[in-house]
Amino acid sequence: MATALTRLTFVVTKEMEPLLANAKKNWFYDRTQSDMIRELVLAGLETLDENSAEDRQAAQTG
């Protein structure tokens, strides 16, 4: 069975562990941990893109 998803492994630091547990308990209680991680990574990447666009715009106007 082929899948369109790519597997990724990363290390969760001691500082990240309670943050992820809290997010799972409060916001992602009805979803899988993998789904939670995908959603959080996507949100972080979108935020980086927005910040980068704002930085470029500020550099052009100032």
Side-chain angles (χ1 to χ4, degrees):
M1 181 169 100
T3 178
L5 301 177
T6 300
R7 184 175 300 260
L8 176 68
T9 303
F10 65 96
V11 175
V12 175
T13 64
K14 289 183 180 182
E15 296 82 15
M16 290 173 61
E17 195 168 4
L19 298 171
L20 290 170
N22 186 50
K24 178 74 170 126
K25 179 181 176 184
N26 292 316
W27 298 296
F28 296 96
Y29 54 86
D30 60 342
R31 294 161 75 178
T32 66
Q33 186 175 25
S34 291
D35 193 30
M36 175 184 77
I37 298 297
R38 282 190 295 271
E39 194 74 28
L40 291 171
V41 168
L42 184 59
L45 292 171
E46 288 172 348
T47 299
L48 287 173
D49 281 345
E50 291 169 5
N51 290 345
S52 180
E54 289 172 4
D55 290 346
R56 284 192 302 269
Q57 185 178 14
Q60 291 175 351
T61 59

